[in-house]
Amino acid sequence: IVDWGDGWVPTISSAEQISRGRATLDELATQAGRNPKSIPSFAFGGPGQFRSREKIEELVQAGADHATIWIKSTAKAEALTELEEIARLVLTQ
């Protein structure tokens, strides 16, 4: 990642795992003379992960710059309803 990567995508990891990985990545980047901030991290969530404001805040504290939230349905009406519910949970708590 430090030598060739444009970002880091920890998949289905907890905030604690992301925090530990981010610390290691930052250390390696610094040792290689690369600004750690030049390597964004994208937390790739699995089913049920990162679906509340508290969980998103944990990711931010862990060093994640972005996150994906897995939705359960691909049917348009159901997916929109689910996205509205996630937005309500993440934005209003």
Side-chain angles (χ1 to χ4, degrees):
I1 293 169
V2 169
D3 290 338
W4 301 98
D6 289 329
W8 175 49
V9 184
T11 56
I12 311 177
S13 299
S14 68
E16 182 180 316
Q17 291 168 317
I18 292 169
S19 180
R20 286 194 313 266
R22 185 73 235 191
T24 299
L25 183 59
D26 289 355
E27 181 180 331
L28 293 171
T30 299
Q31 288 173 2
R34 183 168 177 186
N35 180 352
K37 301 255 184 241
S38 73
I39 307 171
S41 58
F42 303 81
F44 189 92
Q49 274 190 306
F50 317 141
R51 297 176 74 90
S52 71
R53 184 175 188 93
E54 177 186 7
K55 294 298 179 186
I56 297 295
E57 288 174 354
E58 287 176 10
L59 290 177
V60 170
Q61 292 299 314
D65 300 294
H66 307 277
T68 62
I69 299 174
W70 190 299
I71 59 172
K72 298 172 189 170
S73 178
T74 58
K76 184 178 179 179
E78 292 173 10
L80 288 174
T81 299
E82 186 177 0
L83 287 172
E84 289 172 353
E85 177 63 14
I86 291 169
R88 185 186 65 74
L89 291 171
V90 170
L91 297 174
T92 62
Q93 290 183 352

